[in-house]
Amino acid sequence: MKLIHLSDLHLGKRLYGFSLMEDQRYILEQILKIVEKEKPDGVILAGDLYDKSIPPAEAVRLFDWFLTRLSDLNQTVAVISGNHDSAERLAFGADLMSSSKVYVSPVYDGEIKKVVLTDQYGQADLWLLPFMKPVTVRQALKDEKIEGYENAVKTVIGRMEIDTERRNILVAHQFVTGASLCESEEINVGGLDQISTKVFDDFDYVALGHIHSPQAAGRDTVRYCGTPLKYSFSEAGQTKSVTVAELFEKGRIKIRTIPLSPLREMRKIRGTYMELMSPAFYQKGNREDYVHVTLTDEEDIPDGLQKLRVVYPNLMQLVYDNLRTQKEQELYVEDEPEQKSEKELFEDFYQKQNNQEMAEEQRKYVEELLERLLE
């Protein structure tokens, strides 16, 4: 049984003010080509399909198009809600969609939806566990004492009638202890939402969503597939992929990944303003890429962001790395300050702010400015 594991599409996401809809449609088209070539028995979507609980209309249309295309390819599709999704909105029309082999996790009411799949090795149970908060479980299971995320998920799984003689696949959207994080994830302070991989011991394969880097969590068959696109510059060096899990007889699983190529890469570049604006530098890469620029000039470049966007139109973030930013000095008032002129006081302030003395041209400008003010 071959399953394609996807998660964290975050459709409708904007990054530093840039819409990623074009990039998202491009990568979904690429995924559809992979599905068409691989001919899996099912496609798993492990939560965070949208970036917001109330997604923009164009994001809903894009997801509708994607599900329709998967259905046209005669795919069984298993969908759960993540922490960014509205479980109620995502479940709308779920009963109707099931007739097209698109199965969506309902709002948790004490029961977990199960989809039975069949291949030459027999039947396999695919369980759809939406993102679980302790409060959600408390409301559904009023007879249970729920304390914390791990206890909540463990209690929910404990009430599932799992036949361990059969192959069991769990689709979930939680933070498993030990997973490596990126800047784009939303994780509770102090790791209160962490759960142990031991909670999943009864499952042959666990298709996880929530963490944006592809990785195993605890054991090789408990996996995050990661996002299909990079959603932070901390992911700039990653290769995004689709995870393919092949389940044979009970206990034998083969896992591989298929790399994805984005419409625009996400890159970090650094240097002086003049270096980055030289053709010899910017012609090395795709100028349409999303870039994070670090300028090493000691002086800020006036209107530097807009000037750099002439060459790098998708410049998302601009920072400086120089003496001023490398070392922060504490500003203080002396108990018995010396009698200093306005010019001397300004020079002291400049030196403390920038970790360097004013240039001669700057001193002359300040002198002229102070003279005009005093007049």
Side-chain angles (χ1 to χ4, degrees):
M1 182 173 298
K2 184 191 293 185
L3 301 172
I4 285 185
H5 173 193
L6 302 165
S7 77
D8 296 270
L9 306 181
H10 286 278
L11 300 180
K13 186 174 182 65
R14 297 184 70 86
L15 194 60
Y16 296 100
F18 287 77
S19 170
L20 302 180
M21 291 296 298
E22 184 182 13
D23 304 82
Q24 290 174 332
R25 185 179 183 96
Y26 180 89
I27 212 71
L28 291 181
E29 288 174 346
Q30 197 172 137
I31 289 169
L32 287 168
K33 290 177 182 176
I34 291 171
V35 171
E36 192 169 9
K37 181 180 178 181
E38 290 285 327
K39 295 180 173 54
D41 298 285
V43 175
I44 291 170
L45 298 173
D48 279 0
L49 310 173
Y50 297 116
D51 193 54
K52 296 183 182 300
S53 58
I54 304 178
E58 58 267 28
V60 177
R61 287 195 295 269
L62 181 58
F63 187 54
D64 177 64
W65 167 82
F66 183 56
L67 284 182
T68 302
R69 288 290 307 277
L70 287 174
S71 182
D72 290 344
L73 292 172
N74 196 32
Q75 284 299 310
T76 296
V77 185
V79 182
I80 67 166
S81 55
N83 59 300
H84 279 252
D85 302 311
S86 164
E88 293 81 4
R89 289 185 176 86
L90 201 60
F92 175 78
D95 290 340
L96 184 62
M97 286 190 287
S98 64
S99 63
S100 298
K101 300 198 299 183
V102 177
Y103 302 97
V104 182
S105 62
V107 177
Y108 183 64
D109 60 359
E111 299 291 331
I112 293 298
K113 190 177 187 68
K114 180 178 73 173
V115 180
V116 179
L117 304 175
T118 305
D119 65 1
Q120 67 268 38
Y121 297 99
Q123 292 185 329
D125 294 336
L126 181 63
W127 301 87
L128 306 185
L129 178 70
F131 176 65
M132 284 291 166
K133 288 183 178 180
V135 65
T136 306
V137 182
R138 286 191 204 106
Q139 290 171 351
L141 307 177
K142 299 188 185 299
D143 58 326
E144 297 276 4
K145 185 178 181 181
I146 305 300
E147 297 179 353
Y149 278 81
E150 179 163 337
N151 179 235
V153 175
K154 187 176 181 179
T155 300
V156 170
I157 290 176
R159 295 171 68 100
M160 293 159 52
E161 296 180 359
I162 302 170
D163 182 353
T164 54
E165 296 298 313
R166 290 163 60 151
R167 293 167 295 169
N168 287 276
I169 304 110
L170 179 69
V171 186
H173 192 94
Q174 304 290 158
F175 177 26
V176 176
T177 304
S180 299
L181 307 178
C182 301
E183 292 176 356
S184 51
E185 287 117 354
E186 290 185 4
I187 303 297
N188 281 11
V189 176
L192 297 176
D193 52 351
Q194 293 187 35
I195 61 175
S196 167
T197 189
K198 291 184 178 297
V199 174
F200 306 128
D201 281 350
D202 287 338
F203 298 95
D204 298 87
Y205 182 77
V206 182
L208 290 169
H210 195 35
I211 302 301
H212 291 186
S213 300
Q215 59 192 285
R219 58 182 166 95
D220 197 46
T221 52
V222 178
R223 298 192 69 85
Y224 290 102
C225 61
T227 54
L229 287 172
K230 299 169 187 178
Y231 289 135
S232 73
F233 284 103
S234 66
E235 302 164 59
Q238 292 183 8
T239 298
K240 297 298 185 178
S241 60
V242 164
T243 298
V244 182
E246 294 183 76
L247 289 80
F248 303 94
E249 68 275 11
K250 176 82 174 178
R252 187 162 72 96
I253 301 175
K254 180 181 177 182
I255 298 168
R256 57 190 169 91
T257 58
I258 301 173
L260 295 169
S261 300
L263 179 62
R264 301 174 183 87
E265 266 295 352
M266 188 169 275
R267 296 190 289 128
K268 290 182 176 181
I269 57 177
R270 110 182 239 117
T272 65
Y273 174 77
M274 294 305 295
E275 287 171 344
L276 300 191
M277 293 295 280
S278 67
F281 188 95
Y282 64 69
Q283 288 176 357
K284 293 177 183 177
N286 181 4
R287 288 171 58 186
E288 296 296 316
D289 286 345
Y290 297 118
V291 294
H292 173 289
V293 169
T294 301
L295 287 181
T296 57
D297 302 84
E298 289 300 331
E299 302 298 332
D300 288 2
I301 305 300
D303 203 23
L305 187 68
Q306 296 307 319
K307 288 177 180 177
L308 285 162
R309 278 182 176 162
V310 173
V311 172
Y312 306 99
N314 293 317
L315 167 57
M316 287 185 164
Q317 192 173 24
L318 171 63
V319 297
Y320 283 85
D321 184 12
N322 51 31
L323 287 173
R324 172 173 57 84
T325 60
Q326 288 170 4
K327 181 180 178 183
E328 295 182 3
Q329 288 201 17
E330 185 177 342
L331 297 179
Y332 63 93
V333 178
E334 297 174 0
D335 292 336
E336 296 181 7
E338 301 176 36
Q339 293 297 317
K340 293 184 177 181
S341 66
E342 288 88 348
K343 175 175 169 292
E344 289 172 326
L345 289 169
F346 193 91
E347 286 180 0
D348 288 348
F349 177 76
Y350 181 91
Q351 197 276 333
K352 287 181 171 66
Q353 280 284 85
N354 298 279
N355 298 304
Q356 59 182 322
E357 294 184 356
M358 293 173 64
E360 189 60 35
E361 185 179 356
Q362 292 171 317
R363 287 195 181 93
K364 288 180 180 179
Y365 175 79
V366 170
E367 286 176 3
E368 293 173 1
L369 180 61
L370 288 171
E371 285 176 6
R372 289 201 301 271
L373 289 170
L374 290 171
E375 288 174 0

